[in-house]
C-alpha cells in the first residue's frame, strides 16, 4: 500500500465541500476538518512551487552522476510503441532494480505536476517526456488501457489498473495534441464502460453494477475477488467515464458514470482504501450540480477523510 500521495491529488478532497456548497444553502461539515485548528501553531507554508521545480530538475536530469544517479534512464525502445524510448524511474531511491523499473503512478504524476507549475514537458530541453508515457498504454497484449507497467495485465489490483488511466486523462487535457492520445482516450473509456456493463450495469432496464472486487480482469471481463476488495474504484471509473462524456458528449459514458456512482452511493460503510474515493466524490458533486442527481455528498466527502475498515 502507498503511504504518500501526490499533494495535488490529495488536495482534491479540500475543495470538494466548496464545489458542492456553491449550489447549496450552506457548507458541509467535514468531521476531520473540524478537528483541525483554524491556525496551527507553529505554522509555516512550504514553498511548494519551489519544491516542484527542484523535484523536476533533479529527477529528469540525466547528466547527474553519483550513487543511484541519474534517477531517470531510458529504455532502448518501447514495448507498445517501439519507436519511442520510454522512461525508467525507480519508485524509491536505492531499490534493487538497478534503474530498470518504471511505474505509471510514479512517472505520469511527475510530468503532470511539472506541467501544473508551468513546465512544458512536451518540449523540455528538446525532449518530449509526455510522448514517452504512451508506452504505458498496453496495446501489445490487447489490454488497451493504461496500466502501471509497460507489459502488464489488469486484474491484480484496481489501484494499479485505474489510476494510470486517470493520470492519462489528466495528461490528455494538458497535452491534447500528442499522437495517438485521441484514440487512446476513447479506448480507455470503452474498455471501462464494457467492464461496468459486465459487472451487471444496464440501461434497459436500469441496473446498478456490483463493484465490490479487488480488481477486474479486462481480458476475460471477470472479477478478482481475492484479497482486499476496493469498492472505492467505482469512483475512479465514474471519474473516467464522466470525463469521456464531457469530451465526446456520448450519453453512454454518462450512463456508465451514473451507474458507478449509484453503486458507490448505495454503500453503507466507508469504502476508502487508497485515493480513488475523492475522484468519485468530485464527480458525484458535478452530477448533482450539472445532471440533477442527488448523491449523498456529506457521506462521500466525509468518507474521503475518515479511515474506513478496509484501510
Amino acid at each position: 500500500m502507498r503511504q504518500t500521495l501526490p499533494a495535488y491529488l490529495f488536495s482534491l478532497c479540500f475543495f470538494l465541500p466548496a464545489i458542492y456548497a456553491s449550489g447549496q444553502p450552506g457548507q458541509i461539515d467535514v468531521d476531520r476538518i473540524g478537528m483541525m485548528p483554524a491556525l496551527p501553531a507553529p505554522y509555516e507554508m512550504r514553498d511548494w512551487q519551489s519544491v516542484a521545480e527542484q523535484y523536476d530538475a533533479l529527477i529528469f536530469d540525466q547528466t547527474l552522476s553519483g550513487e543511484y544517479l541519474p534517477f531517470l534512464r531510458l529504455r532502448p525502445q518501447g514495448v507498445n510503441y517501439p519507436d519511442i524510448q520510454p522512461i525508467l524511474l525507480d519508485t524509491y531511491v536505492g531499490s534493487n532494480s538497478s534503474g530498470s523499473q518504471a511505474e505509471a503512478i510514479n512517472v505520469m504524476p511527475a510530468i503532470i505536476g511539472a506541467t501544473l507549475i508551468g513546465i512544458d514537458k512536451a518540449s523540455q530541453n528538446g525532449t518530449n517526456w509526455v510522448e514517452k508515457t504512451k508506452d504505458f498504454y498496453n496495446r501489445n497484449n490487447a489490454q488497451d488501457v493504461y496500466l502501471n507497467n509497460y507489459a502488464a495485465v489488469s486484474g491484480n489490483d484496481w489501484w494499479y489498473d485505474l489510476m494510470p488511466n486517470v493520470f492519462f486523462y489528466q495528461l490528455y487535457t494538458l497535452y491534447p495534441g500528442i499522437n495517438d492520445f485521441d484514440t487512446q482516450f476513447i479506448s480507455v473509456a470503452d474498455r471501462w464502460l464494457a467492464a461496468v456493463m459486465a459487472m451487471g450495469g444496464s440501461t434497459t432496464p436500469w441496473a446498478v453494477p456490483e463493484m465490490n472486487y479487488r480488481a477486474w480482469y479486462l481480458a476475460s471481463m471477470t472479477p478478482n475477488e481475492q484479497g482486499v476488495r476496493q469498492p472505492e474504484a467505482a469512483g475512479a471509473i465514474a471519474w473516467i467515464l464522466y470525463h469521456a462524456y464531457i469530451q465526446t458528449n456520448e450519453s453512454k459514458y454518462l450512463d456508465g458514470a451514473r451507474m458507478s456512482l449509484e453503486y458507490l452511493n448505495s454503500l453503507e460503510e466507508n469504502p476508502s482504501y487508497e485515493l480513488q474515493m475523492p475522484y468519485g466524490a468530485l464527480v458525484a458533486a458535478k452530477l448533482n450540480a450539472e445532471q440533477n442527481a442527488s448523491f449523498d455528498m456529506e457521506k462521500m466527502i466525509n468518507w474521503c477523510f475518515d479511515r474506513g475498515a478496509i484501510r
Side-chain angles (χ1 to χ4, degrees):
M1 291 185 289
R2 299 288 173 215
Q3 300 302 317
T4 57
L5 302 176
Y8 76 92
L9 292 178
F10 203 76
S11 67
L12 279 172
C13 295
F14 289 88
F15 65 76
L16 282 170
I19 290 175
Y20 183 63
S22 64
Q24 298 296 320
Q27 178 126 341
I28 292 175
D29 290 329
V30 180
D31 295 338
R32 290 269 177 179
I33 296 297
M35 296 168 62
M36 300 177 186
L39 185 62
Y43 178 79
E44 181 179 354
M45 173 62 77
R46 191 174 184 184
D47 186 347
W48 291 108
Q49 173 86 16
S50 176
V51 170
E53 291 171 350
Q54 292 177 55
Y55 181 83
D56 180 76
L58 178 67
I59 295 301
F60 288 91
D61 188 346
Q62 296 176 263
T63 67
L64 297 176
S65 61
E67 188 176 14
Y68 307 125
L69 298 174
F71 293 120
L72 183 146
R73 296 173 173 83
L74 299 178
R75 285 178 58 102
Q77 66 178 40
V79 175
N80 301 287
Y81 290 85
D83 58 327
I84 65 175
Q85 293 180 299
I87 297 167
L88 295 174
L89 177 64
D90 288 352
T91 301
Y92 59 92
V93 177
S95 70
N96 294 322
S97 59
S98 301
S100 62
Q101 187 183 46
E103 287 195 79
I105 58 171
N106 184 19
V107 172
M108 298 174 80
I111 294 173
I112 295 165
T115 304
L116 293 177
I117 62 165
I119 299 173
D120 184 357
K121 298 298 287 186
S123 59
Q124 186 182 33
N125 299 323
T127 301
N128 189 337
W129 297 106
V130 184
E131 183 96 27
K132 295 180 181 301
T133 65
K134 291 195 308 185
D135 214 47
F136 285 116
Y137 179 80
N138 279 241
R139 66 176 185 176
N140 197 45
N141 56 12
Q143 295 290 306
D144 294 325
V145 294
Y146 275 76
L147 295 172
N148 198 43
N149 303 109
Y150 298 126
V153 294
S154 60
N156 294 315
D157 194 300
W158 244 335
W159 145 259
Y160 291 112
D161 293 347
L162 282 165
M163 292 313 301
N165 295 285
V166 170
F167 298 144
F168 162 62
Y169 268 34
Q170 293 173 346
L171 277 177
Y172 177 85
T173 300
L174 296 168
Y175 300 97
I178 299 295
N179 290 337
D180 296 319
F181 266 17
D182 284 337
T183 302
Q184 292 176 353
F185 184 94
I186 298 301
S187 174
V188 165
D190 285 345
R191 292 290 275 166
W192 288 113
L193 179 60
V196 169
M197 297 306 183
M199 293 176 213
S202 173
T203 56
T204 52
W206 187 267
V208 177
E210 172 57 52
M211 308 180 81
N212 187 25
Y213 305 121
R214 169 69 178 267
W216 188 261
Y217 296 107
L218 290 171
S220 61
M221 287 294 169
T222 56
N224 179 351
E225 301 181 79
Q226 306 299 313
V228 179
R229 302 190 181 208
Q230 301 175 28
E232 68 164 359
I237 292 173
W239 188 95
I240 290 168
L241 294 178
Y242 185 73
H243 284 84
Y245 164 70
I246 293 298
Q247 178 70 21
T248 66
N249 203 33
E250 291 276 353
S251 61
K252 63 182 180 180
Y253 300 129
L254 177 60
D255 290 339
R258 189 183 291 269
M259 289 174 196
S260 302
L261 289 175
E262 286 188 10
Y263 167 78
L264 194 64
N265 196 58
S266 72
L267 299 178
E268 296 181 358
E269 295 184 358
N270 189 347
S272 294
Y273 177 66
E274 291 281 3
L275 81 165
Q276 297 176 84
M277 185 62 222
Y279 288 93
L282 177 59
V283 173
K286 289 176 72 66
L287 261 67
N288 281 0
E290 299 171 3
Q291 302 294 332
N292 199 33
S294 56
F295 296 112
D296 187 341
M297 293 311 307
E298 183 170 4
K299 176 174 72 173
M300 289 193 184
I301 291 173
N302 276 283
W303 276 349
C304 294
F305 289 90
D306 293 338
R307 180 176 177 141
I310 295 176
R311 183 62 183 179

